[in-house]
Amino acid sequence: MSAPRVALASRIFPPEPGAAAYRLGSLARRLRQHGAHVDVLTSTPPRGLKGGPAPAGVRLRRWPVLRDRGGNVRGYLQYASFDLPLLVRLLVNRRPDIVVVEPPPTTGAVVRIVCALRRLPYAYYAGDVSSTAAAGIGIARPVVAVLRALERWAMSGAALVLTVSTGVAEDVRAIVGEDHDILVVGTGVDTETFRAVPHDGATPTFVYAGTMSELQGAEVFVRAFAQVAADRPDARLVMFGQGVQADQLRRLADSLAPGQVSFPGRVPGEVVAAEVSQAAAGLASLHPDMGYDYAFPTKMFAVTACGVPVIYSGPGPGYEIVRSNGLGWACDWSPDEVAEAMREALERRPGPGEAERLSGWTRTFASQDAVAEKAAAAVLATARRPRGNSAVSAAAAADSTGSRRPTPSASSPGPSAPARESEPTHPE
């Protein structure tokens, strides 16, 4: 039997930072380890980030795209600048056995069209549900309705839908119905990129790394830090990343804590890991009341992978995972609660082996490697199976014959670990 050929279609791929990029980078490597030929059709990285070599054995094909002021491929024109060329690229690309596509739904729709024309199966990797997110941030109902219809069409044609959590899987089922192959593969972090970096000693720094939009609600950290900064002029808050609220947060920081908050923008994960490794704590959040409480901010695992505790603010499964596993502080989405956690983080003295405990927990229960293995097994099973058979059943059977580490999901947060004495026993 010849080696299967897999095409990955995504507007984002390493070295561009982001959960989707790291997820697909790990999947590409794992597919290659299984002997598959892997073609990645993606975009050229934003200015300031070098493309870098492809993972060993992976053919990487980049295409220039329009980006917004923050360097993101986000918005109708930006999506179209990737999706329209993708249609042609997939049509002329060497015939794969299966295509894997990430959101947005417009890209999924392009993949469905091409796969119908070429009579190919495709897998939709749902890191989130775009229409639910759009509704949560107050997009007009008619627009959300159109987006949901497009998303339903893009996912319903897939031979397999991969999801990062049970919450996303339930949302997908509500859209496409029960009669579809939907597999929860879990979520995790690239522990090769995010790991403890040697340093001269901890600094009074808090690090946020990720998207700054309405869904994350990172404003809570700026307001909380302003309370702490009044008594700690040596403290710093570093906000890596971009997003629609980045400019608003800069103005807020300049007003509340001038000179103590920096916004370096988008940087490679290795830069973030070096900064987090010497921080008092890393930060992750999810805004409540957005209808997206099942979301899983993987940035919290990027923090603990570096051996540093995380301050989680907001609802969702991350709250309970942080609380029950002693990964840091779990707080409501409240500047007062977060400020108290920040003060405790600045005053605490980590016990012997604490950094290794945090990074070890992450490697065991939140590594992207385990997630990628499950996803790769399902994708390859789908590529090889006759039409009409279930790839989810095949992947489950493959799991039962091997030793796969558990991966975090809303229903399986991992084993409990002792909480630190200085640690409040509350939120994500």
Side-chain angles (χ1 to χ4, degrees), residues 76 79-80 83 104-111 124 147 150 154:
Y76 300 119
Y79 290 158
D83 294 335
T106 53
T107 307
V110 166
V111 168
Y124 192 97
L147 180 58
L150 181 63

Side-chain angles (χ1 to χ4, degrees), residues 39-66:
D39 287 335
V40 177
L41 291 83
T42 187
S43 63
T44 53
R47 186 176 302 173
L49 283 179
K50 294 182 179 179
V58 174
R59 186 165 61 171
L60 189 56
R61 297 182 171 187
R62 295 188 179 275
W63 190 267
V65 292
L66 293 176

Side-chain angles (χ1 to χ4, degrees), residues 6-376:
V6 182
L8 269 60
S10 173
R11 73 195 192 284
I12 181 171
F13 196 79
E16 191 164 354
Y22 296 131
R23 181 164 57 240
L24 289 179
S26 295
L27 176 60
R29 290 193 298 271
R30 189 56 58 136
L31 287 167
R32 188 69 191 110
Q33 290 169 9
H34 279 276
H37 298 291
V38 182
D39 287 335
V40 177
L41 291 83
T42 187
S43 63
T44 53
R47 186 176 302 173
L49 283 179
K50 294 182 179 179
V58 174
R59 186 165 61 171
L60 189 56
R61 297 182 171 187
R62 295 188 179 275
W63 190 267
V65 292
L66 293 176
R67 293 179 178 270
D68 63 18
R69 289 188 303 168
N72 304 293
V73 186
R74 173 173 169 163
Y76 300 119
L77 287 178
Q78 288 79 10
Y79 290 158
S81 73
F82 177 75
D83 294 335
L84 295 180
L86 177 66
L87 190 150
V88 178
R89 296 166 72 194
L90 281 172
L91 283 172
V92 302
N93 191 56
R94 180 171 176 176
R95 181 182 177 87
D97 294 296
I98 188 170
V99 180
V100 180
V101 61
E102 271 265 352
T106 53
T107 307
V110 166
V111 168
R112 178 169 182 174
I113 292 170
V114 173
C115 288
L117 292 172
R118 302 190 71 180
R119 299 184 62 82
L120 296 170
Y122 69 94
Y124 192 97
Y125 204 149
D128 58 17
V129 177
S130 300
S131 55
T132 300
I137 62 176
I139 299 297
R141 287 186 179 181
V143 176
V144 172
V146 171
L147 180 58
R148 178 146 297 212
L150 181 63
E151 193 162 37
R152 178 183 298 111
W153 193 75
M155 291 193 294
S156 63
L160 171 69
V161 178
L162 303 170
T163 69
V164 299
S165 71
T166 54
V168 173
E170 290 167 2
D171 208 355
V172 170
R173 285 192 185 93
I175 293 174
V176 302
E178 295 289 338
D179 190 25
H180 286 82
D181 272 359
I182 301 170
L183 178 65
V184 179
V185 295
T187 189
V189 67
D190 182 350
T191 51
E192 290 297 313
T193 298
F194 294 98
R195 55 184 175 178
V197 177
H199 54 84
D200 295 332
T203 61
T205 303
F206 300 98
V207 178
Y208 177 92
T211 304
M212 303 176 207
S213 76
E214 302 92 336
L215 289 174
Q216 287 76 31
E219 170 190 343
V220 69
F221 296 125
V222 176
R223 293 190 179 279
F225 179 76
Q227 298 182 32
V228 175
D231 300 320
R232 290 293 301 263
D234 60 328
R236 292 189 307 131
L237 171 61
V238 182
M239 305 281 287
F240 289 109
Q242 290 287 353
V244 294
Q245 290 195 331
D247 289 341
Q248 173 187 329
L249 293 180
R250 286 189 185 93
R251 292 191 295 271
L252 183 65
D254 288 342
S255 171
L256 299 180
Q260 290 181 260
V261 184
S262 60
F263 291 81
R266 300 166 68 91
V267 300
E270 291 81 2
V271 174
V272 174
E275 190 72 41
V276 170
S277 294
Q278 57 186 331
L283 308 172
S285 58
L286 185 65
H287 198 296
D289 305 322
M290 290 287 184
Y292 215 52
D293 288 0
Y294 59 71
F296 230 127
T298 54
K299 60 179 69 66
M300 70 185 194
F301 297 137
V303 172
T304 57
C306 296
V308 172
V310 63
I311 297 174
Y312 182 86
S313 175
Y319 180 103
E320 180 58 28
I321 288 178
V322 171
R323 186 197 65 79
S324 63
N325 292 284
L327 303 181
W329 293 265
C331 312
D332 287 332
W333 198 82
S334 158
D336 292 341
E337 278 197 38
V338 173
E340 183 58 32
M342 286 179 166
R343 293 187 184 98
E344 292 189 13
L346 290 173
E347 296 299 326
R348 69 184 284 272
R349 295 292 179 267
E354 179 68 2
E356 177 54 35
R357 182 185 73 81
L358 290 169
S359 58
W361 184 94
T362 309
R363 288 192 301 271
T364 301
F365 297 104
S367 170
Q368 187 64 49
D369 286 344
V371 174
E373 174 60 33
K374 187 172 184 180

